Amino acid sequence: MTSDSAAATVDGSALAARALAAAGVRHMFGVVGIPVTSLASRAAAAGIRFLAFRNEQSAGYAAASYGFLTGTPGLLLTVSGPGCVHGLAGLSHATANAWPLLMVSGSCDQADAGRGDFQELDQIAATKPFAKLAVKATTIGDIPRLVFHALAAAVSGRPGGCYLDIPSDVLHQTLPESEAAAAILAADSAASASYNPNHKTLDEGIEKAADLLRRAERPLVVIGKGAAYARAEEAIRKLVDTTGIPFLPTPMGKGVVPDTHLLSAAAARSLAMAQCDVALIVGARLNWLLHFGEPPKWPKDVKFVLVDVCEEEIELRKPHVGILGDAKRVVELINREIKDNPFCLARSHPWVEAITKKAKDNMLKMETQLMKDVVPFNFMTPLRIIRDAILAEGSPAPIVVSEGANTMDVGRAVLVQNEPRTRLDAGTWGTMGVGLGYCIAAAVAAPERLVVAVEGDSGFGFSAMEVEV
C-alpha cells in the first residue's frame, strides 16, 4: 500500500453512498440540498442512479411503489427539516401498504441541536409514528451498520418504511479508507447473519386450510397485493386451476391470476363475499377494503383462513385458521397438502355456476355501456379506448397507474390486468398524489414495460410537475 492510499480518507457522505451500493441499492429518489447534495453525488459515483424530483412527496411515493414492484427497498433521500416532513408522506404510505422503503435524511449539526439551527427538527420523533424503524447515526462509524440494518428491517416480517437520520456533522466526519472498507464488510456480514427471509409456517395450519377448502361448499380465494409482492402468482394459479375454486382479487391483487380467467369472481364480488362459506385470504388484510370481514358484506359464519407475514395481524382479525408465513411459501405448502388428497370443483358445481353466471351477466351489462360512444366523454368511453390499447400491447403487459376517485373505481372494473404487479393505485390509505411518482418508479423498475397513467384531473394536479422528471 502506498503512503497516499494509506492516508486516504472517506467522509460520511461517501461512506453512506458506498454502504447503500454495497447493500444492493441501485436507484435513489429524492430532492437534493443542504446537507445531502454530496451524498447524492457520491451515490451516483458509486453506481446508484439518482432521480431528482420536484417535491419529496412524489419522490416518496416513487420509492414506495419501487419497493412493491421490485421486492427491494425503495430509497428516498431528503434534506433536513421541511424536506423530512415532506418525505413523511412516502414513508407513511409505504408502511400503510406494507411496501419496503428506506428514507434517508440529513439533519442539523448535533452540536447546534436545540438552539434553533437551520431547518432544525427532531426527525427521529417526527418519523417514528410512521416507520418500522427510526435510527440516527451519531458518528461516521455508525453509518454502514445502520444502513444495512435499516434495509433489512424494511423487508423483514411485514415490509414497511424505515428511517435513517444522518446529521450534517456526521456527513462531514472522515475515516481512513481501510477502516471505511472494513466497516462496510462487517456491516454486510452482520446483516446477512441476522436476517432470515423465511417465515415459520405451522404444518397444522396448512392441514386445516386444505381440509376446510376440501369440505367447503362455497370456497373462495381472495388475492391481495401482498400476494403480488411475494411473487406468489405461480402457486396461486396452480391452486385455482387444480381445485376449481373461484378467486377474488383486491385492486392491486389483479393480475396475480389473469382477470380473464374463467374462475374470476371480480365481476361478481358482492355475491362471492356474501355467500362463501370458507375464504382463503392470501396477502390481504381484513380492513376497510374487505369490509373488515364482517356482515352484511360477509356471512356471519364464514370461516376465514388468513395467510399473513404479521403475527399481530392474525391476532387482531382472529380468523378460523391463521397461518403465519410468506404468501408464496404457504400456498405452495397448501398445494402440496391438496396433492395428497386432491379435489376439484367442476364447472357444473352450483357455486362455480352461480359465480360465473353472475360475473358474465355483469360483464355483459358493462360492455353494453362501454360500446356506446358518448360525446362529450363520460368515464366509460375513454376507459374502453384505453383498455383496448393496453390489451393490444400484449406481453409484457403495461403497468397501469390509476389515480382519482371515479377514474380509479371505474378503471378497476374496466381495465384488465392479466399479469401480476401491473396495477398501481391509491392503495390501503387511499392516497391521492401518487400518480406521477408511481409512473417514474414503474419506468425505472420495469423498463421492459410500457407505463400508462390513467389519471383523474384532480389526482393529476397533485404531482403534475413531476412530468419534468
Side-chain angles (χ1 to χ4, degrees), residues 6-29:
T9 60
V10 176
D11 68 9
S13 293
L15 184 60
R18 286 169 55 176
L20 289 166
V25 173
R26 295 293 175 263
H27 297 92
M28 180 183 287
F29 308 88

Side-chain angles (χ1 to χ4, degrees), residues 49 51-55 440 465-469:
R49 183 182 179 188
L51 291 106
F53 279 68
R54 307 298 296 182
N55 185 284
I440 294 162
M465 275 305 294
E466 305 300 346
V467 167
E468 185 181 55
V469 178

Side-chain angles (χ1 to χ4, degrees), residues 4-6 23 27 71 103 117 147 172-173 175 183 185 202 247-248 271 288 298 319 343 346 378 382 400 408 414:
D4 287 343
S5 61
H27 297 92
M103 174 174 160
D117 195 21
V147 163
H172 291 93
Q173 289 173 7
L175 276 180
L185 284 174
L202 299 177
F247 68 92
L248 176 65
L271 173 67
W288 68 275
W298 296 86
F343 69 93
N378 59 10
V400 174
M408 184 171 61
V414 176

